[in-house]
Amino acid sequence: MNLETWNSELSHFLIGNNIVLCLYLILGVLGNGLVIFIYVVRMSKKSDDRYFIPSLAAIDACACVIGSSYALALNLLPVRFPGDFLCRALWFLSQSSTISGGTLLLVIAVHRYLKVCRPFVAKWSLTVKRMVVLGTLLTALVLSVPTIFLYGEIKVVSDRYTVGNVSLVGYRCGNKGSAGALFGYNLFLFIFAVTGIVVITICYSFIGKSIYSKVMTYRKSIKRSNVIPPRPDLSVSTITDIRRSKICEPSSTDNEVENGGLPEKPIEQEKGNMFLKIPDQSHQAKRRSHDKLVKANIPAMINHFHHYKYSYMFMTITLVFVIAYLPRIVIMLLESIFVQTFWHKPDSVVVGLLFLYRLYILNHVVNPFIYGFFDASFRHEVKYLICRHKKKPINPDSHTGH
C-alpha cells in the first residue's frame, strides 16, 4: 500500500460532491462573467440601482473560482495536499470572498433602505459608492487574516496502512491552531454573521412596510374613488392625486345616473293592464365596476413590481445568501467545538455535511439567474447576445425601479 492508493481510497466516495463543485465552478464563472460584461459594457444607461451589481458579480465569480477550486483540491487530495503556503492562501482568499459578499449585501440593504424609506436624504455620490465597495473589501481582508495562522498543512499518519513496519504519512489542509483560538474566531464570525443578518432584516422590513403601505393606500384610494390613477407606481404624488380626485368626484349614485346606469330598485312600467318588472341589474353593474377595477389593478401592479424590482431582487439575493451561508458557519462552529471527532463519521454523513458546508458557493452561482428574473434589461441583453441580431432591439426597461 502506497500514499497514492490511500489517497484514492479516501477521495473515491466524494465523486458526487466533486461533480457538484464542477457545476458550481462552470456556472458561476460563466454566469457572473456574463453579468459583469452586460452591466459594464452593454448597459449604456448608468443606473443608481445597478451600481453594486457588477461589484457583487465580481465577488461572486471570485468566490466560485476560489471556493470550488479549493474544495476540489481538498476532495481530490485528502492526504496529498501540495504545501502549507497554498493551504493558508486558499483559506484566506476563500474566507475573504465569502465575507466580502455578505458585507456588500449589508451595504446594499442600507442603500435600498435610504433610497426607498428616506428618499429625501442626500444620495450617495459615485465617490462614496466606490469608497463603500473598497471599505467592504478591506473589512473582509482584515477579518480573514486569522485564517493564515489557524489553518495550514497537517501531517496525517495512517493507522491501517503501512509500508514495511512504518505507517503511511500524508498531508492535508486543515486546522493547525489551538482549539480555543479556532473556537473564538468561529464564534466571532457567527456573531458577525447574525448581526449582519439582523441589520439586513430590519432594513428590508422597513422597505417592505413602506411598499405595503403604499400598496394599501393605492388600493383603498382607487376602490373609494373608482378612478384609474394616471401613474400606478404607488408613489407619493400618485396617492395625492388619487385623494384629490376622490374629493372632487360626485357620489356613486350620481355617477350611475350620469353614465346611464339603473337604480338599485326595480322599475315598474305599465303596459295595458299588466305591470312588467325590469330585472334588477344592480348586481351586474357592481360586477362590471369590480371587473373594471380589477383590470385597472393589473397594469398598476405590473408597474408596481417594475418600480420596486431592484428592492425585490436584492431581497431575494439576500435571502438566498442567508439560507446558503448559515449551514457553513454553524458547521464551522461545531467543528471548532468537537475538533477531534466531528468529521469521524460514516461516509454518507460526511458527504452530506460537506454538501451543506459548501452550499454557500451556490449563492454565488444563482445570483445571475436572479438578475435575469427581475431585470428585463438584463434578459434583453442576454437574448441579444445569443441571437446576434443585426439591429439592437428596443430596450424594454424604459425607467429604473427602486
Side-chain angles (χ1 to χ4, degrees), residues 121-380:
V121 177
K123 294 182 179 180
W124 289 3
S125 64
L126 183 61
T127 303
V128 171
K129 291 177 182 177
R130 289 174 177 172
M131 291 179 63
V132 166
V133 173
L134 181 60
T136 297
L137 297 176
L138 291 176
T139 300
L141 293 175
V142 171
L143 294 180
S144 302
V145 167
T147 59
I148 299 176
F149 305 99
L150 293 174
Y151 295 92
E153 186 181 70
I154 305 172
K155 180 186 292 187
V156 182
V157 180
S158 174
D159 296 330
R160 296 174 53 189
Y161 306 114
T162 60
V163 179
N165 294 325
V166 181
S167 298
L168 280 176
V169 177
Y171 295 91
R172 67 180 181 88
C173 180
N175 172 35
K176 200 173 183 178
S178 64
L182 181 64
F183 175 76
Y185 178 64
N186 287 333
L187 180 62
F188 168 78
L189 289 180
F190 181 80
I191 296 174
F192 179 78
V194 171
T195 303
I197 291 171
V198 170
V199 174
I200 290 173
T201 302
I202 292 174
C203 288
Y204 282 124
S205 296
F206 279 113
I207 292 173
K209 183 179 179 180
S210 176
I211 294 175
Y212 179 77
S213 176
K214 292 177 182 179
V215 169
M216 296 308 296
T217 303
Y218 168 78
R219 292 181 64 182
K220 290 178 182 178
S221 298
I222 64 172
K223 187 175 181 180
R224 292 174 181 174
S225 62
N226 196 25
V227 296
I228 303 175
R231 289 175 52 200
D233 58 359
L234 312 183
S235 63
V236 176
S237 59
T238 297
I239 297 170
T240 304
D241 293 340
I242 295 172
R243 288 174 176 171
R244 289 177 180 173
S245 64
K246 179 180 180 299
I247 296 175
C248 300
E249 282 292 321
S251 65
S252 59
T253 305
D254 295 337
N255 282 339
E256 288 179 358
V257 175
E258 290 178 3
N259 295 330
L262 296 174
E264 293 185 0
K265 295 182 179 180
I267 300 175
E268 294 183 349
Q269 292 183 348
E270 183 177 357
K271 185 177 180 181
N273 295 325
M274 298 180 63
F275 287 92
L276 300 178
K277 284 188 177 182
I278 296 179
D280 183 6
Q281 299 185 13
S282 61
H283 178 71
Q284 288 83 351
K286 290 180 180 178
R287 186 176 184 84
R288 286 195 299 270
S289 177
H290 176 267
D291 293 342
K292 182 179 179 182
L293 289 176
V294 170
K295 291 180 180 179
N297 269 320
I298 292 174
M301 295 311 296
I302 293 175
N303 201 324
H304 160 76
F305 282 107
H306 180 81
H307 193 71
Y308 293 104
K309 62 185 178 183
Y310 291 108
S311 293
Y312 290 129
M313 181 178 73
F314 286 118
M315 284 182 190
T316 305
I317 290 173
T318 304
L319 179 62
V320 173
F321 175 82
V322 171
I323 294 174
Y325 184 71
L326 274 182
R328 171 184 171 88
I329 193 65
V330 170
I331 290 176
M332 289 178 65
L333 191 61
L334 293 175
E335 181 187 15
S336 61
I337 296 174
F338 308 101
V339 179
Q340 301 297 329
T341 60
F342 184 79
W343 292 105
H344 292 174
K345 294 177 175 62
D347 291 350
S348 58
V349 177
V350 172
V351 170
L353 288 174
L354 285 175
F355 175 78
L356 292 175
Y357 187 77
R358 292 156 182 171
L359 189 64
Y360 76 96
I361 305 176
L362 180 63
N363 161 74
H364 304 292
V365 175
V366 301
N367 283 349
F369 297 95
I370 298 176
Y371 301 142
F373 179 80
F374 284 96
D375 195 340
S377 293
F378 178 73
R379 294 197 305 270
H380 159 83

Side-chain angles (χ1 to χ4, degrees), residues 8 57 91 93 128 210 348 389:
S8 299
W91 248 110
L93 294 174
V128 171
S210 176
S348 58
H389 294 307

